[in-house]
Amino acid sequence: MNAAFAAVAALLTWRLIDGGIAAFDRDRRSMFLQLPDWWGYAVGAVAMILWVVVCVFVAWERAQQARGRLPRPPSGASGRA
C-alpha cells in the first residue's frame, strides 16, 4: 500500500508540475493582485516532490522490514520520550 500511495503522489506531482508549466507559458495571473500563478504551482511542486520522497522511503523501509533485513519497531512504541 505504501508503494501504491507513492505512485499516486508521483502522479499528482506530475500533474501539478504540468499545470505550473502551462500557467507559466500562458502568463496566467491572479485576478486582483496580478501576481503570476506559477509561483503557487512551484511551491506546491516542491512540497509534493518532498512528499513523494518520503512515500518512497517509507515503502522501501517497510519492504526491508518485511524481508527481515531491518528490525521491526517495538509494538508498544508510541514515539514519545
Side-chain angles (χ1 to χ4, degrees), residues 73-79:
S75 61
S78 63

Side-chain angles (χ1 to χ4, degrees), residues 1-15 47-63:
M1 287 310 295
N2 289 318
F5 194 65
V8 169
L11 176 71
L12 292 173
T13 303
W14 166 59
R15 295 307 302 160
M48 291 290 290
I49 289 169
L50 290 174
W51 186 31
V52 169
V53 169
V54 169
C55 289
V56 168
F57 174 75
V58 169
W60 175 82
E61 186 179 46
R62 297 295 183 228

Side-chain angles (χ1 to χ4, degrees), residues 28-42:
R28 291 191 48 197
R29 296 185 171 269
S30 62
M31 187 181 302
F32 296 113
L33 297 177
Q34 294 300 309
L35 296 173
D37 282 348
W38 67 267
W39 290 357
Y41 283 96

